[in-house]
Amino acid sequence: MKQLTLTDSIDDLLLEQEYSLLYFTAAWCGPCKSMSPIIEGVSGLMSDRFNTIKIDVDTVAKVASDYGIRSVPTLMLVKDDVIIDQRVGGLPPQQLMQWLEKLT
């Protein structure tokens, strides 16, 4: 999982693989703290299918704004720079994997 920083280009990261999972989070968000290890585990298991980009909505607020993020955690699956689906709120690992397997 790649942590997006102010010096990174989201567009360059999206080009690394056909599919990208954008994980919008915040340090102050309780559900995000419980989701982070789940996202890390699932993205590690499925790294051959997509890359995962962790985006802190406070650190890189412009990216969050560009994607219309209003709530965290938000998961967004992107294919070739097009958003194909998204989920808001926490997901159990099995449900997250089923969602990603269905779409990738």
Side-chain angles (χ1 to χ4, degrees):
M1 179 163 45
K2 168 77 174 149
Q3 174 79 44
L4 186 71
T5 66
L6 289 171
T7 58
D8 292 323
S9 163
I10 186 74
D11 296 325
D12 290 345
L13 293 174
L14 290 173
L15 291 173
E16 289 180 2
Q17 282 189 257
E18 181 182 14
Y19 290 95
S20 295
L21 177 64
L22 305 183
Y23 171 43
F24 293 92
T25 184
W28 47 262
C29 167
C32 298
K33 290 177 184 172
S34 61
M35 266 309 283
S36 286
I38 294 170
I39 298 293
E40 287 178 27
V42 169
S43 67
L45 290 172
M46 301 179 79
S47 63
D48 59 325
R49 297 169 93 167
F50 57 85
N51 67 347
T52 303
I53 305 165
K54 186 176 184 178
I55 303 164
D56 186 301
V57 297
D58 294 324
T59 305
V60 281
K62 174 148 178 32
V63 174
S65 175
D66 290 347
Y67 280 92
I69 301 304
R70 295 183 178 184
S71 181
V72 288
T74 294
L75 299 170
M76 196 172 282
L77 193 63
V78 178
K79 178 183 180 189
D80 299 325
D81 208 24
V82 175
I83 300 163
I84 57 174
D85 202 2
Q86 72 180 29
R87 293 283 186 267
V88 177
L91 291 173
Q94 190 63 31
Q95 193 176 351
L96 176 61
M97 286 189 73
Q98 288 171 348
W99 177 63
L100 292 168
E101 286 174 348
K102 178 180 76 171
L103 297 171
T104 57

